[in-house]
Amino acid sequence: MAADIPIIDSHIHLYPESEISTLAWCGPDSPLAKQQSVDEYKAASASSPPRGFIFVETDRKNDLEEGLKDGGGWESPLVEVSWLERIVTGQPRPGEGHSEADASLCAAYIPWAPIPSGPAAVEKYIELARTRAGESWPKVKGFRYLVQDKPHGTMLQDDFIESLKLLGRKGFVFEVGADQNRRGRKQLEEVVEMIDRAHEGVPDDEKVTFILDHLCKPDLEVYNVHTSLTFAAWRTAMFTLSKCSHTYIKLSGGFSEMPDSLRQRPAEEIFEAIMPWLSVTVATFGADRIMFASDWPVCTVGVGEGAWEKWKKIVERLCWMASFDDAQKRMIWGGTALKAYRIEF
């Protein structure tokens, strides 16, 4: 990778130790149950320091029903917005693991939003988030509501679709956290239908942009892709999704979907093992709709502290194998993210 190609890491999570209790998924025995702040991220990526990063919400505890009543069920996600406001404005609290000098690293951030609750609720939530964000509000480029663990049909409800249309009218992206590995073909079919319905009848300049996280989490434990029905279903979904307008994909999250034995191997061997999935991604989306993302610190689970650099090596090898020129490499490493999120950085 040429040294003059800047990296925008398009998917990381950060949280201070003081707010771990607000995370919906992080129990005391989790290897991630410790501070994961800018200092830790900079140490993890020190071999090739990114020009900037995009923060994606970290699934804080929330309650949609309580949020509709009085906003109380939205408090933990709003606490996260306040956390990002401190990072972006360079005003850390003691012990939070970031400094005034780190303020410029955050290229954008993507908070949580109560998308299933309908556009009126989302509009109200956005105003609350705007207040919490203060001077950092211009860095908010979109929102995420994780669908990977929600009942089938969640993203196809009318309120969900109308909320997505609202995001499009306001110029925000929607971050799609789907999981083919654990939820099967049906979830990806619902993602396709969700995008179609959210774009149907909408002027092109008001269509919401969709960012697909982590290759939609394919099953990377498949040994023989030629006979695997799950691989065939994922490949079909990628070809279909790539035909959707205003849709991009993140080259990330691979370690979480691999068997332990694979993620411990050298980057070169991992690349060879997951080449079928990488080849489909390149063939369908192309360099101008694919963006590098580390998924730090989740990528470290089962891999260790060298995970960020290992994933970077895998993406570098992909760029080489695909014979990308410098312009295409610039898109992979940062240009696509800047375009998709409408970032001036």
Side-chain angles (χ1 to χ4, degrees):
M1 176 178 170
D4 64 339
I5 297 180
I7 297 173
I8 301 295
D9 189 343
S10 67
H11 197 109
I12 74 166
H13 305 289
L14 302 169
Y15 45 88
E17 185 176 20
S18 60
E19 295 178 10
I20 289 175
S21 63
T22 69
L23 300 175
W25 50 271
C26 191
D29 296 329
S30 170
L32 298 178
K34 57 186 177 181
Q35 180 154 290
Q36 306 286 357
S37 189
V38 180
D39 285 349
E40 289 76 18
Y41 174 72
K42 288 165 61 179
S45 59
S47 59
S48 305
R51 170 68 180 84
F53 61 75
I54 296 172
F55 169 92
V56 178
E57 66 91 20
T58 315
D59 196 18
R60 303 256 182 152
K61 294 175 182 175
N62 61 83
D63 188 314
L64 294 178
E65 291 187 7
E66 291 300 316
L68 284 173
K69 289 179 182 177
D70 58 8
W74 302 339
E75 181 56 27
S76 289
L78 290 170
V79 166
E80 185 168 67
V81 173
S82 296
W83 154 241
L84 265 295
E85 185 270 339
R86 297 196 297 278
I87 292 175
V88 170
T89 59
Q91 301 179 59
R93 293 173 180 169
E96 282 193 333
H98 63 102
S99 68
E100 183 178 354
D102 297 325
S104 63
L105 287 176
C106 183
Y109 68 98
I110 309 299
W112 175 92
I115 303 299
S117 298
V122 172
E123 186 102 58
K124 180 180 178 181
Y125 176 83
I126 287 174
E127 289 308 309
L128 292 173
R130 186 196 301 270
T131 299
R132 295 289 185 103
E135 294 179 10
S136 74
W137 180 249
K139 296 281 189 178
V140 176
K141 299 299 183 181
F143 295 89
R144 184 170 82 158
Y145 177 85
L146 272 177
V147 295
Q148 63 187 28
D149 58 348
K150 304 303 185 293
H152 289 307
T154 296
M155 68 184 97
L156 301 181
Q157 297 296 316
D158 289 344
D159 278 341
F160 203 104
I161 300 299
E162 292 305 314
S163 293
L164 296 177
K165 291 180 178 180
L166 173 69
L167 295 187
R169 290 194 296 274
K170 290 182 171 291
F172 292 120
V173 310
F174 180 65
E175 197 93 13
V176 183
D179 187 344
Q180 188 249 2
N181 190 0
R182 295 162 190 83
R183 303 304 303 282
R185 186 169 95 182
K186 183 174 176 60
Q187 186 161 85
L188 294 195
E189 290 173 345
E190 289 191 357
V191 171
V192 172
E193 184 177 348
M194 173 188 71
I195 294 174
D196 286 345
R197 289 181 57 191
H199 284 172
E200 185 178 9
V202 176
D204 193 67
D205 61 350
E206 293 184 6
K207 288 180 178 177
V208 62
T209 292
F210 291 93
I211 314 288
L212 306 173
D213 292 347
H214 313 327
L215 307 177
C216 293
K217 294 194 172 185
D219 180 3
L220 299 183
E221 294 193 29
V222 170
Y223 179 72
N224 188 343
V225 297
H226 300 293
T227 60
S228 169
L229 296 179
T230 59
F231 177 79
W234 176 82
R235 179 181 58 198
T236 298
M238 290 303 102
F239 274 94
T240 304
L241 287 165
S242 71
K243 293 180 173 64
C244 298
S245 65
H246 303 273
T247 304
Y248 300 82
I249 195 164
K250 290 184 177 178
L251 194 56
S252 60
F255 293 144
S256 298
E257 311 312 313
M258 297 175 191
D260 292 339
S261 58
L262 179 57
R263 69 181 75 158
Q264 291 293 333
R265 286 155 63 181
E268 295 76 14
E269 294 182 23
I270 294 174
F271 174 81
E272 295 298 331
I274 66 172
M275 186 60 183
W277 291 269
L278 300 179
S279 297
V280 169
T281 304
V282 169
T284 52
F285 282 88
D288 62 345
R289 291 202 290 156
I290 297 171
M291 62 187 85
F292 165 77
S294 68
D295 194 27
W296 188 90
V298 179
C299 65
T300 65
V301 177
V303 181
E305 295 304 314
W308 193 94
E309 178 63 21
K310 181 182 278 192
W311 187 252
K312 175 178 169 286
K313 287 181 178 178
I314 291 168
V315 177
E316 284 178 332
R317 193 164 182 83
L318 173 64
C319 290
W320 176 74
M321 288 290 287
S323 299
F324 286 150
D325 59 26
D326 280 353
Q328 291 171 310
K329 291 175 184 175
R330 287 181 182 278
M331 293 304 292
I332 294 285
W333 293 108
T336 299
L338 297 179
K339 179 177 70 171
Y341 287 103
R342 304 176 188 176
I343 297 169
E344 296 181 8
F345 194 58

